[in-house]
Amino acid sequence: MFKQYEMELAGRTLRVDIDRVGKQANGAALVHYGDTVVLSTVTASKEPREGIDFFPLSVEYEEKMYSVGKIPGGFNKREGKASENAVLTSRVIDRPMRPLFPKDLRNDVTLDNLVLSVDPCARPELVAMIGSALVTSISDIPFDGPCATTQMGLINGEFIVNPTQEQNAVSDLQLTVASTREKVIMIEAGANIVPEDKMLEAIFKCHEINQTVIAFIDKIVAECGKPKFEYQSCAVPEAMFEDMKTVVTPEQMEVAVFTDDKQTREKAIDEIKAQFKERYAENEEWLGYVDDAVYQYQKKTVRKMILKDHKRPDGRAIDQIRPLAAEVDIIPRVHGSAMFTRGQTQICDIVTLAPLSEAQKVDGLDPFVTEKRYIHHYNFPAYSVGETKVSRGPGRREIGHGALAERALVPVLPSPEDFPYAIRAVSETFESNGSTSQASVCASCMALMAAGVPIKAPVAGISCGLVTGETDDDYIVLTDIQGLEDFFGDMDFKVAGTPEGITAIQMDIKIHGLTPEIIKEAIAKTRAARMYILNEVMLKAIEGPRPQVNEYAPKITSLQIDPEKIGEVIGQRGKTINQIIEDTGVKIDITDDGRVDICGTDKDGIDQAIKTIKLIVEPVEVGKTYEGEVVRIMSFGAFVQIAPNKDGMIHISKLSKDRVEKVEDVVNIGDKVSVKVLDIREGKISLALKEILG
């Protein structure tokens, strides 16, 4: 007999079934929230994985199309690789939970969330986040939980707890916050330029709600939790650390890491590793720990330098940003380009403009997200960090960084009505030494302005780090962390925004949470850094959006027609619109509400297409002159097409002021003529050559 637990959460019932399914997993639960159902499971290998120096955690979020009553597209008719939303959800589950596992655990652990049913009023991503924490807490896998997650929306100035899919689509805030009993452990946000104080209020409100979910999980753990298994620790022996200090003193290690040049530091560390490998060549046990031990030695050295001595590895002050540079138009012929450099981090961003019909179609579980007009892709090649590696396409990190930059810039984009373009930004990482995602935000913003996209406000991004001591009030928040400070520090707090407020946040930590004071200080420091980057670097490289799109970008002109006339513009089987496209070389998109977008690189072609469409949809007027083509000749006159599917007749008597014996003496099929409308009766149009009327 399975056990069932319930609680009320934001106006809906959260129900958990334990021991109903998945009994062979280390932990499993069928989690219901409204009619959304997710099966969350966690499993662990019995033995540690050999030859690794990290905790091998895998997180999966599986979207099944049957959950929303759909059959997958394509020939196979089955789900393929994970969608971008599934990848991002997996990352959001991973980030708060990973720090709560023992650092010296090397057993493989897999968290799997299978979406079985989706209620539009209860988002499955949230259910998977809660379910993952729950099943790990009740399992026998060592885990310092539980943790809980809450989502927050903002509509008309009011907070919405765990918004529905429909509410989320129109919300000014998409915030996700994970917490332990004491502290916040993860923040993910997209925001429509939300002020810092409002963002802080939302974060702390989520933290309060998380405590009710944690209490619910605690109750389940008390009744269903399994004893945690003993695992083989892979921690570096303390005796080895003591021996290492006799070979390389803390002062010598400090000299090795104290440089602003990544290659110089890595060379020094490689030499130190070589010393230890030679020393422990006969000690097989310690030899296997060398890489991890040197990493830990560096970490302790860097943390001590920062926390106790207030010295950063590259010599900067605690709130000092690395040297900055920005330039635009570095790539010819593309629609917009910019490069942003911060220390040894360098991003080149290229923007491409296209008709709205080229917006990305999204086939997912959310009925309110069916396409993306703005697409941001981020690439991180191996050469950017001096490594050799074959590219296998974007991984989860690249997808996550691209989504973060996309989220940061969407709020400042013009509406499709004001700027009828689909937009793709691609961030190429030329060099990396910390916070390339936020450099991507800066480069992309400048590239958009260079391309002539009339953004509402410029956006800059920056990342703060953290080093903590033994107590909650013993810490230092670092502005603009480089790679070493990210690796050895406790936090990567990324914030992007305009002068008026925040557009995106992503916070990763390696400790068991942040106090409110740390969060407030990080928000304040990132704002100060953003304003400096904007005013002193970005806006000096380009003052604002260019007044027109790039000469190589397609030009798009829109006009509104009566929706009932759409069929006339398209024609039977598309004959009319295809003929216009062939004649003018443009691309034409028509929406259901009658908006027509004409796209092309040749202004004359665009003008001709507009003229033709207007001729089709506007009624023929008596007394007005039209340009037409002779399409048929009879003995009594010539038929002239003045618009697609609109023909008029010139009677033989109206071909010339003189008597005409034969129509062909004046006009022939295919001739271009200027005609004037004399009369319209019962739909029949009478014409005359304009030249005979004077």
Side-chain angles (χ1 to χ4, degrees):
M1 184 66 182
F2 66 90
K3 297 179 180 179
Q4 197 169 82
Y5 301 87
E6 291 185 359
M7 73 169 287
E8 291 302 306
L9 181 61
R12 291 178 287 277
T13 300
L14 176 66
R15 193 178 88 232
V16 176
D17 298 342
I18 306 293
D19 288 335
R20 186 175 187 180
V21 295
K23 296 180 183 180
Q24 295 189 50
N26 294 67
L30 207 56
V31 186
H32 307 249
Y33 192 34
D35 283 340
T36 293
V37 183
V38 175
L39 172 60
S40 296
T41 60
V42 63
T43 50
S45 62
K46 292 182 172 56
E47 300 295 332
R49 194 196 299 183
E50 295 288 340
I52 61 170
D53 58 1
F54 61 92
F55 169 46
L57 172 66
S58 299
V59 180
E60 303 296 332
Y61 175 78
E62 300 183 65
E63 296 178 322
K64 298 298 184 180
M65 298 306 288
Y66 56 65
S67 67
V68 289
K70 291 182 181 179
I71 294 177
F75 291 105
N76 290 333
K77 296 298 180 184
R78 68 180 301 158
E79 291 80 6
K81 69 176 185 178
S83 69
E84 183 174 295
N85 181 67
V87 169
L88 297 177
T89 303
S90 297
R91 283 171 57 84
V92 171
I93 295 170
D94 182 299
R95 297 208 319 267
M97 295 191 62
R98 186 177 290 270
L100 301 180
F101 288 94
K103 289 182 173 57
D104 57 344
L105 179 64
R106 297 293 180 265
N107 298 60
D108 283 279
V109 174
T110 299
L111 275 163
D112 199 297
N113 293 277
L114 179 63
V115 181
L116 298 170
S117 173
V118 176
D119 177 350
C121 291
R123 297 171 62 200
E125 298 90 347
L126 175 67
V127 181
M129 294 170 202
I130 294 173
S132 295
L134 168 66
V135 297
T136 309
S137 296
I138 66 173
S139 76
D140 59 348
I141 301 170
F143 180 67
D144 194 12
C147 58
T149 305
T150 295
Q151 294 179 325
M152 189 69 70
L154 181 65
I155 300 177
N156 298 324
E158 298 294 326
F159 288 127
I160 308 295
V161 179
N162 295 341
T164 66
Q165 289 177 332
E166 183 176 9
Q167 289 171 329
N168 190 65
V170 299
S171 175
D172 287 327
L173 176 64
Q174 293 89 34
L175 172 67
T176 303
V177 176
S179 308
T180 61
R181 293 183 183 88
E182 298 84 18
K183 300 175 182 177
V184 172
I185 54 175
M186 192 277 298
I187 302 171
E188 180 97 6
N192 188 17
I193 314 180
V194 172
E196 279 78 1
D197 57 348
K198 196 74 172 177
M199 182 67 76
L200 286 168
E201 184 183 352
I203 291 170
F204 297 142
K205 189 174 180 66
C206 286
H207 179 63
E208 291 176 11
I209 296 168
N210 281 338
Q211 303 314 304
T212 65
V213 180
I214 288 173
F216 176 62
I217 296 175
D218 280 339
K219 177 184 176 183
I220 299 173
V221 172
E223 297 185 20
C224 304
K226 302 175 184 177
K228 301 301 183 181
F229 65 67
E230 295 290 332
Y231 66 94
Q232 179 183 330
S233 174
C234 295
V236 177
E238 192 61 37
M240 182 178 177
F241 274 127
E242 295 304 317
D243 185 73
M244 289 170 65
K245 291 176 184 178
T246 65
V247 181
V248 177
T249 67
E251 291 74 21
Q252 290 174 313
M253 180 60 80
E254 187 171 320
V255 170
V257 299
F258 200 89
T259 175
D260 62 353
D261 184 76
K262 183 179 176 182
Q263 284 73 26
T264 301
R265 182 173 57 249
E266 289 178 349
K267 182 180 178 182
I269 296 302
D270 286 342
E271 290 174 356
I272 289 173
K273 284 183 181 179
Q275 282 184 265
F276 288 134
K277 287 181 179 179
E278 182 178 352
R279 180 176 179 83
Y280 303 133
E282 304 299 324
N283 188 332
E284 291 187 7
E285 180 187 356
W286 285 13
L287 184 63
Y289 285 114
V290 167
D291 287 344
D292 194 21
V294 172
Y295 175 88
Q296 297 294 337
Y297 198 173
Q298 287 184 82
K299 184 174 182 178
K300 290 179 180 180
T301 303
V302 170
R303 292 175 67 86
K304 181 260 180 185
M305 288 165 56
I306 294 173
L307 191 63
K308 304 302 180 187
D309 305 333
H310 289 199
K311 292 168 61 179
R312 299 177 72 168
D314 57 4
R316 279 183 293 148
I318 296 302
D319 59 354
Q320 184 180 354
I321 301 174
R322 287 170 290 173
L324 301 169
E327 53 186 312
V328 296
D329 304 328
I330 69 166
I331 309 294
R333 302 190 74 87
V334 299
H335 301 166
S337 65
M339 189 161 70
F340 182 84
T341 306
R342 188 193 325 105
Q344 290 183 296
T345 291
Q346 188 175 64
I347 296 287
C348 179
D349 192 88
I350 295 96
V351 164
T352 306
L353 305 178
L356 287 170
S357 59
E358 294 192 30
Q360 183 179 5
K361 306 300 179 187
V362 178
D363 186 20
L365 306 187
D366 190 336
F368 299 97
V369 181
T370 57
E371 70 174 23
K372 285 169 58 176
R373 172 204 178 200
Y374 178 64
I375 310 158
H376 196 122
H377 291 152
Y378 165 98
N379 297 315
F380 189 86
Y383 65 75
S384 67
V385 288
E387 296 177 357
T388 176
K389 182 181 176 183
V390 177
S391 175
R392 302 293 185 190
R396 291 190 171 192
R397 179 182 178 277
E398 287 89 340
I399 292 172
H401 278 14
L404 177 59
E406 181 177 292
R407 194 180 305 126
L409 291 160
V410 163
V412 301
L413 295 177
S415 68
E417 291 73 26
D418 294 334
F419 192 72
Y421 286 87
I423 308 164
R424 181 183 185 232
V426 179
S427 293
E428 303 288 0
T429 306
F430 286 173
E431 191 175 2
S432 173
N433 187 18
S435 198
T436 50
S437 66
Q438 298 311 287
S440 176
V441 172
C442 299
S444 302
C445 178
M446 293 190 297
L448 288 168
M449 293 193 287
V453 180
I455 61 174
K456 301 169 187 174
V459 178
I462 194 69
S463 179
C464 270
L466 174 74
V467 176
T468 57
E470 298 298 323
T471 61
D472 284 349
D473 58 357
D474 184 18
Y475 67 88
I476 284 184
V477 176
L478 305 170
T479 299
D480 178 27
I481 55 172
Q482 60 172 314
L484 192 71
E485 294 165 333
D486 185 7
F487 299 149
F488 299 147
D490 297 321
M491 174 182 79
D492 185 2
F493 200 120
K494 308 179 184 80
V495 183
T498 72
E500 286 72 39
I502 293 170
T503 57
I505 295 179
Q506 186 176 95
M507 186 196 81
D508 299 325
I509 64 170
K510 302 171 187 175
I511 54 176
H512 287 201
L514 303 182
T515 63
E517 290 72 26
I518 294 175
I519 295 172
K520 290 176 183 177
E521 184 174 341
I523 292 284
K525 285 197 169 185
T526 53
R527 176 174 175 78
R530 291 194 338 257
M531 295 307 99
Y532 177 82
I533 293 169
L534 272 176
N535 296 322
E536 299 300 322
V537 182
M538 292 172 58
L539 295 181
K540 288 185 177 179
I542 181 167
E543 294 182 355
R546 297 221 166 105
Q548 296 177 334
V549 297
N550 181 282
E551 63 176 306
Y552 296 108
K555 312 303 182 290
I556 298 179
T557 302
S558 299
L559 68 152
Q560 189 68 36
I561 66 172
D562 184 344
E564 294 185 359
K565 299 283 187 178
I566 293 175
E568 295 180 32
V569 176
I570 295 174
Q572 188 175 14
R573 297 181 180 177
K575 180 179 179 181
T576 302
I577 195 169
N578 287 334
Q579 188 63 53
I580 298 172
I581 291 170
E582 182 179 338
D583 292 343
T584 62
V586 302
K587 185 170 183 178
I588 301 174
D589 296 323
I590 306 177
T591 62
D592 292 340
D593 62 357
R595 194 185 77 215
V596 183
D597 293 332
I598 299 99
C599 173
T601 55
D602 178 55
K603 185 177 184 302
D604 291 339
I606 293 174
D607 291 343
Q608 181 58 45
I610 292 172
K611 182 179 179 182
T612 303
I613 291 171
K614 286 183 175 180
L615 286 173
I616 294 171
V617 300
E618 294 176 357
V620 177
E621 298 179 23
V622 174
K624 191 171 181 179
T625 300
Y626 295 87
E627 300 297 321
E629 179 181 345
V630 178
V631 292
R632 189 156 54 102
I633 290 177
M634 306 294 287
S635 60
F636 51 82
F639 287 87
V640 177
Q641 186 181 71
I642 58 175
N645 302 322
K646 289 183 180 178
D647 295 352
M649 189 193 76
I650 309 175
H651 190 269
I652 192 169
S653 64
K654 302 298 181 182
L655 287 172
S656 175
K657 292 181 179 180
D658 301 321
R659 179 179 174 82
V660 177
E661 295 292 337
K662 188 177 179 183
V663 173
E664 288 90 337
D665 292 339
V666 181
V667 294
N668 288 283
I669 292 176
D671 286 352
K672 308 295 185 189
V673 293
S674 180
V675 296
K676 190 171 185 178
V677 178
L678 299 177
D679 191 20
I680 302 175
R681 292 184 182 178
E682 297 179 354
K684 295 181 179 180
I685 304 171
S686 297
L687 306 172
L689 280 183
K690 182 184 177 185
E691 63 188 51
I692 74 167
L693 300 176

